[in-house]
């Protein structure tokens, strides 16, 4: 599901993670300097402040290009028409939250450097989580997806960014029903997995959700053939929908993670709805996890949460960090 790309006036910026670079108002002068194509889309909003029309996918994509270039040094970022265009500040929050999660494995020291390995389940054409994870913390990442065209676009992004290409690997998942099998190799370990799951049970549910966001942007539904809000927010079928929605998807992920309990320190997933939590917390108990966390996140009017689980006790995680994380790869 495509969330509202960015809160226009960003009134809730203070609720972003303290290390998030996207605090306060956007610096449109600096953004236009690195992405001149953004300039025609920047207009004064109702408060007289420079902004863009967040209902226009081209404007949102150009804003993303500018943010990634200005703040992270990522060049040539682009996605094909119809693919998910993620909100960069919210995705950055996820990365900072899992860094805090991993810091708990070593007395609060933030883990940095290529010794830390992240797996992104459903990395998509945008590749945002691996890009941000390496830009912020220097981690090595694997991005996995069932969609070959999406992976081809992600590879194009990496080719334009050799510094990232050396630390990000792409893997194709041939099985639509598998999340970790076929991706995590025998004897391989990951310190954390991330996932932006398909939130909706059907295309109709996704369309209804997009219509709500359309109205939140102050737009009226046009039933006479105007702009389709689902298309404005983007997303392929596999990015938006899964039978049973996010609850069923993450429940399947929890069940499948048991097979890789000793190969990953923390498993995580984004959740759009708090209503999904009771069933998923039951699934975690059934799976025999030793630790779980629910981390609340907010960006503008949007609320989401991060669900994390581990099959290791705290002592086991500390031993994991001591065994796998090089002393010179950690920072305070």
């Amino acid at each position: 599901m495509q969330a509202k790309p960015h809160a226009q006036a960003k009134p809730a910026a203070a609720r972003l993670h303290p290390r998030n670079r996207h605090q306060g108002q956007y610096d449109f002068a600096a953004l236009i300097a690195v992405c001149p194509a953004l300039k025609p889309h920047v207009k004064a909003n109702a408060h007289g402040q420079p902004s863009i029309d967040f209902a226009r996918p081209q404007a949102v994509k150009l804003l993303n290009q500018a943010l990634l270039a200005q703040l992270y040094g990522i060049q040539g970022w682009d996605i094909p028409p119809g693919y998910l265009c993620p909100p960069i500040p919210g995705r950055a929050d996820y990365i900072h939250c899992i860094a805090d999660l991993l810091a708990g494995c070593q007395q609060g020291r933030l883990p940095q450097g290529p010794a830390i390995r992240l797996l992104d389940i459903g990395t998509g054409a945008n590749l945002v989580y691996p890009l941000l994870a390496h830009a912020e913390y220097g981690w090595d990442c694997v991005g996995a997806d069932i969609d070959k065209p999406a992976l081809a676009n992600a590879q194009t992004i990496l080719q334009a960014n050799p510094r990232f290409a050396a630390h990000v690997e792409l893997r194709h998942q041939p099985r639509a029903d598998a999340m970790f099998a076929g991706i995590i190799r025998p004897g391989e370990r990951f310190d954390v997995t991330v996932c932006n799951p398909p939130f909706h049970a059907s295309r109709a549910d996704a369309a209804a959700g997009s219509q709500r966001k359309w109205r939140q942007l102050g737009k009226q539904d046009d039933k006479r053939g105007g702009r389709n809000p689902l298309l404005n927010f983007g997303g392929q079928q596999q990015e938006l929908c899964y039978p049973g929605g996010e609850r069923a998807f993450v429940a399947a992920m929890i069940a499948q993670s048991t097979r890789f309990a000793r190969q990953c320190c923390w498993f995580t997933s984004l959740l759009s709805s708090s209503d999904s939590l009771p069933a998923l917390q039951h699934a975690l108990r059934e799976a025999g996890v030793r630790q779980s966390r629910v981390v609340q996140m907010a960006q503008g009017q949007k609320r989401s949460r991060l669900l994390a689980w581990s099959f290791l006790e705290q002592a086991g995680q500390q031993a994991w960090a001591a065994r796998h994380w090089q002393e010179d790869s950690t920072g305070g």
Side-chain angles (χ1 to χ4, degrees), residues 20 59 92:
N20 197 315

Side-chain angles (χ1 to χ4, degrees), residues 119-133:
L119 171 61
D120 181 12
I121 299 297
T123 199
N126 60 76
L127 194 65
V128 160
Y129 287 132
L131 292 173
L132 294 177

Side-chain angles (χ1 to χ4, degrees), residues 82-103:
Y83 276 84
L84 194 66
C85 192
I88 303 301
R91 297 301 192 260
D93 246 32
Y94 191 160
I95 295 299
H96 291 303
C97 286
I98 63 172
D100 289 344
L101 195 69
L102 291 176

Side-chain angles (χ1 to χ4, degrees), residues 233-309:
F233 290 105
Q236 298 292 296
Q237 175 75 19
Q238 68 272 12
E239 293 179 302
L240 297 173
C241 307
Y242 184 85
E246 69 175 12
R247 186 181 308 179
F249 186 94
V250 179
M253 179 179 287
I254 291 168
Q256 293 183 28
S257 69
T258 61
R259 178 179 166 187
F260 302 92
R262 298 299 169 183
Q263 290 181 257
C264 184
C265 188
W266 279 105
F267 299 88
T268 76
S269 178
L270 191 67
L271 290 179
S272 176
S273 174
S274 60
D275 293 341
S276 300
L277 281 173
L280 293 176
Q281 288 170 328
H282 175 75
L284 291 173
R285 291 191 294 271
E286 290 291 306
V289 304
R290 299 302 182 91
Q291 296 189 77
S292 65
R293 304 278 191 279
V294 177
V295 180
Q296 300 294 331
M297 297 187 294
Q299 182 199 348
Q301 296 179 358
K302 178 177 172 55
R303 300 293 183 270
S304 60
R305 65 267 332 134
L306 166 65
L307 180 65
W309 65 98

Side-chain angles (χ1 to χ4, degrees), residues 66-332:
L67 288 170
L68 291 170
Q70 183 214 2
L71 296 176
Y72 303 101
I74 297 166
Q75 306 300 318
W77 183 90
D78 201 357
I79 54 172
Y83 276 84
L84 194 66
C85 192
I88 303 301
R91 297 301 192 260
D93 246 32
Y94 191 160
I95 295 299
H96 291 303
C97 286
I98 63 172
D100 289 344
L101 195 69
L102 291 176
C105 302
Q106 52 173 10
Q107 291 79 46
R109 299 196 312 277
L110 290 173
Q112 298 178 343
I116 310 304
R117 305 192 71 227
L118 174 147
L119 171 61
D120 181 12
I121 299 297
T123 199
N126 60 76
L127 194 65
V128 160
Y129 287 132
L131 292 173
L132 294 177
H134 185 71
E136 291 287 17
Y137 297 104
W139 299 344
D140 273 10
C141 304
V142 171
D145 208 289
I146 63 173
D147 186 342
K148 287 185 176 181
L151 289 175
N153 189 79
Q155 185 60 47
T156 299
I157 295 171
L158 291 176
Q159 288 171 351
N161 295 274
R163 175 169 69 93
F164 291 84
H167 296 278
V168 178
E169 179 186 353
L170 302 177
R171 296 181 188 176
H172 178 243
Q173 172 57 271
R175 291 175 48 191
D177 63 338
M179 297 170 189
F180 305 110
I183 297 298
I184 300 179
R185 296 165 179 167
E188 187 175 33
R189 60 96 184 165
F190 287 96
D191 301 292
V192 65
T193 71
V194 298
C195 181
N196 190 68
F199 294 143
H200 298 291
S202 68
R203 197 75 177 180
D205 287 347
S210 290
Q211 286 169 354
R212 288 192 296 272
K213 293 174 180 61
W214 185 254
R215 290 191 291 270
Q216 288 171 1
L217 289 173
K219 307 296 181 181
Q220 297 297 318
D221 293 337
D222 188 347
K223 303 182 184 303
R224 298 170 296 175
R227 288 184 292 178
N228 183 337
L230 182 60
L231 295 179
N232 277 321
F233 290 105
Q236 298 292 296
Q237 175 75 19
Q238 68 272 12
E239 293 179 302
L240 297 173
C241 307
Y242 184 85
E246 69 175 12
R247 186 181 308 179
F249 186 94
V250 179
M253 179 179 287
I254 291 168
Q256 293 183 28
S257 69
T258 61
R259 178 179 166 187
F260 302 92
R262 298 299 169 183
Q263 290 181 257
C264 184
C265 188
W266 279 105
F267 299 88
T268 76
S269 178
L270 191 67
L271 290 179
S272 176
S273 174
S274 60
D275 293 341
S276 300
L277 281 173
L280 293 176
Q281 288 170 328
H282 175 75
L284 291 173
R285 291 191 294 271
E286 290 291 306
V289 304
R290 299 302 182 91
Q291 296 189 77
S292 65
R293 304 278 191 279
V294 177
V295 180
Q296 300 294 331
M297 297 187 294
Q299 182 199 348
Q301 296 179 358
K302 178 177 172 55
R303 300 293 183 270
S304 60
R305 65 267 332 134
L306 166 65
L307 180 65
W309 65 98
S310 177
F311 295 92
L312 300 175
E313 299 279 8
Q314 180 69 24
Q317 291 182 336
Q318 291 173 351
W320 173 288
R323 184 166 63 252
H324 297 303
W325 302 349
Q326 297 174 16
E327 198 64 34
D328 61 359
S329 72
T330 58

